Amino acid sequence: MKDDQRFKHESLQDSKTIATLLNALTNAISDGKIVMEDGNASLTMEPKGLLHFKLSASKEDDQNRLNIKISWQGKTTVESEKNIKISGG
């Protein structure tokens, strides 16, 4: 049985806020439980074992891009909530 659950959040933030969110994400990964919430949905993930990490960056004229991708095998759950939060278990 297929169990697809997705969470997507996009917003404009200053660099200090993004650093705070990234720190919360690294702490959550270290704790083994990531809870993400915003006004549309929430998603809980439990990273375990080996995680695949991909980092890419590009700079073209005035356009800068940094992509971080982390993936692993595991289960997820979805609920509805508001305001994005990233926290550890």
Side-chain angles (χ1 to χ4, degrees), residues 37-81:
E37 304 173 282
D38 71 3
N40 299 317
S42 78
L43 179 65
T44 299
M45 305 176 88
E46 296 180 357
K48 294 181 178 153
L50 294 175
L51 283 64
H52 182 254
F53 178 76
K54 181 178 179 181
L55 177 66
S56 61
S58 64
K59 187 173 184 179
E60 297 175 21
D61 298 323
D62 199 29
Q63 180 69 33
N64 299 280
R65 178 169 297 182
L66 174 65
N67 294 307
I68 301 170
K69 181 177 181 180
I70 302 168
S71 58
W72 65 94
Q73 300 293 321
K75 290 189 171 188
T76 59
T77 59
V78 171
E79 298 173 293
S80 292
E81 269 302 320

